[in-house]
Amino acid sequence: SAPPLGERAGVPASAAADAAAAATKFSLADVETIARQLAGKSYEAPSAQVSEYLRGISESEWNGIRYTDDRRLWRDDNLPFEVDFFHPGFIYDQVVTIYVVENGQSRPVPFSPDQFNYNDDALAGRARPAGLNFAGLRLYFPFRRADRKEEVAVFLGGTHFRALARHTSNYGLTARGLILNPATPDGEEFPYFRRFWLVKPEPEATSITIYALLDSPSLTGAYRFVIKPGLSTVMDVTARLYPRTGAAFPKKIGLAPLSSMYLYSEKENGSRRDYRPEVHNSDILLYTTGGNEWTRRPLANPERLEVNSFNLKNPRGFGLMQQDDNFDHYQDIGSRFDRRPSLWIEPQGDWGAGRLELIEIPSNQDIHDNVLAFWVPDQLPASPGNNGPGSAGDLSFAYRQYWMAPGVIPHQLGRAVATRMVREPKGDSVKFLIDFESEELNALPSDMGLTSQIETDAEVPVLNKRLQKNPVTGGWRLQFTVQVPQENSMIQSLRSARGESRSLRFRARLKKGENLPDPLTETWVYDLPY
């Protein structure tokens, strides 16, 4: 596995990029060699290999171009994994080079229009130029039924990739290899995977290894993905980044980034313009620092861009989760939001101090990801300047991903399963209603005398609170009202002058007693813009 985050890497003996790609024992070190050498050169934007015509086709036309099933990689080798590839076009205008590694040797997978069914003679005639390459790749594995290989993961577009678990039926949220300068004045920088190496699996393999070369104006990177499909699809990700010589180092690097879609849920009481009670691919951000310290943040679709941070030391896990797996709460037969996966991240090794950052973007369409979550370390290596790539400043990290069925939460504490919020007509107070449930909580009698703990900003008083047993669900409902500062209040002016967030943060959890240290539930946290 990779050395801990922030460890400086030495410079191994150099080798030509082509020689590394054809190494007799291909490994992550070979991709690192290529990435290190690439970091010593000026960035070259992806060449315009995709024609203007292909870039202008519609999404439905692009979706109609399908790889021919009997041309899948390893189709005739009786292996557990098969691979097919995506045709460039529509928004996918960055082509990638794909290699197969077999017996330690790598060879390119050639692109040919004959590998695709265009489903339209006119489209086929204009979409078959010479010199193209693939836009991405798709993995197949019999992870639901032993007699049928099914799509399980996709790498497509920039550094985006997605996966399914056994009890999911639709893709939902997306992972990225890296995110650079999100929500900064200079604008986001978009890296992309420009090469992939697929290691041919053994006949009885339950996992597959994929290497990837990342390229970007400010840095390069070498990645290894070990993918094991199953009840939860597990991906072990190892990466090393190399600052580019002469390039400005990113002001913000986000590790293990996730992106998802959230429009509304029970918290917003649905939408008057939509028949669906809830619309989202994920509904909570969940994180832990270890032990029984678990925190849940319900997602929101704000009126303006919101950036909120959660300062942590050595995070033990975080993720964007689709907690609600009840079809009746969505009523969408086609999209099946109730069958979309959650994604949980477990850092490997010591990631040190930093912050979990959550970005929420206003949106009114369910086709756009408007939620981002990622880890930002406090300590980043300095740019190597003129000393050459690899001499200092290399950044390495590793983590494990669990693509899980919706509704699965990786702890046994009581869960804040629903958040409802009501603003009073005058706008000077907000009422929260939080439903906590678990087997242990539901078994407790109504006269148990549980204690609720509520934390607010110092200037925001709690006007009243009430905790009661829900006789219908067996869980417990915590209700409290807070008084919020008025628009253009002195508090708001002082916060703006200090450059602080214009959100108010509230926390709540349940305990068996005021003086008992162990919580019965995870900590519910919410950021209320004002």
Side-chain angles (χ1 to χ4, degrees), residues 8 22 26 30 37 39 44 56 73 83 151 159 165 184 194 199 238 247 276 299 317 377 380 477 512:
R8 303 299 190 261
F26 196 90
D30 297 298
Q37 293 178 343
E44 295 182 6
L73 184 66
V83 188
E151 180 177 347
T159 64
T184 58
R194 63 184 303 162
V199 179
T238 305
R276 300 171 294 183
L299 298 181
L380 282 173
R477 174 169 291 180
K512 282 189 175 180

Side-chain angles (χ1 to χ4, degrees), residues 42 68 83 112-113 122 128 133 140 161 182 216 230-231 340 361 372 390-391 442-443 471 475 514:
S42 298
T68 306
V83 188
S112 170
R128 295 167 59 97
N133 217 328
Y140 295 83
F161 58 99
S216 194
L231 183 63
R340 301 199 173 195
I361 305 165
L372 295 168
S391 60
N442 294 14
E514 192 71 45

Side-chain angles (χ1 to χ4, degrees), residues 302-306 308 423 427-430 457 459-460 482-498 500-506 526-530:
E303 295 182 358
R304 60 176 181 265
L305 175 71
E306 293 288 338
N308 289 286
R423 281 187 179 269
D428 59 352
S429 65
V430 176
D457 289 337
E459 64 268 21
V460 181
V482 295
Q483 185 172 340
V484 298
Q486 291 295 299
E487 187 78 20
N488 300 319
S489 66
M490 180 63 70
I491 293 172
Q492 193 178 83
S493 299
L494 289 173
R495 284 188 168 218
S496 297
R498 294 194 298 259
E500 297 176 357
S501 170
R502 292 180 56 184
S503 293
L504 302 171
R505 179 163 291 177
F506 307 103
Y526 194 75
D527 298 294
L528 179 69
Y530 76 101

Side-chain angles (χ1 to χ4, degrees), residues 328-349:
D328 190 49
H329 294 176
Y330 301 96
Q331 290 295 326
D332 193 321
I333 295 174
S335 295
R336 294 304 303 268
F337 295 112
D338 59 302
R339 297 290 301 276
R340 301 199 173 195
S342 298
L343 178 51
W344 180 250
I345 305 293
E346 281 188 355
Q348 304 295 296

Side-chain angles (χ1 to χ4, degrees), residues 400-477:
R400 174 168 288 179
Q401 294 183 332
Y402 295 89
W403 299 81
M404 305 185 300
V408 177
I409 299 295
H411 66 72
Q412 301 301 315
L413 292 171
R415 304 176 303 279
V417 298
T419 299
R420 294 174 175 85
M421 185 174 65
V422 180
R423 281 187 179 269
E424 297 300 327
K426 294 182 180 180
D428 59 352
S429 65
V430 176
K431 180 188 294 184
F432 289 99
L433 300 97
I434 311 159
D435 289 330
F436 291 95
E437 293 182 9
S438 71
E439 290 187 10
E440 181 180 3
L441 278 176
N442 294 14
L444 296 176
S446 58
D447 59 355
M448 183 65 186
L450 298 186
T451 296
S452 61
Q453 291 184 327
I454 300 173
E455 300 175 9
T456 73
D457 289 337
E459 64 268 21
V460 181
V462 177
L463 302 181
N464 57 66
K465 72 172 182 176
R466 183 185 183 188
L467 178 64
Q468 63 185 131
K469 182 82 170 179
N470 186 328
V472 179
T473 67
W476 294 75
R477 174 169 291 180

Side-chain angles (χ1 to χ4, degrees), residues 138 155 187 217 353:
R138 175 168 34 209
F155 289 77

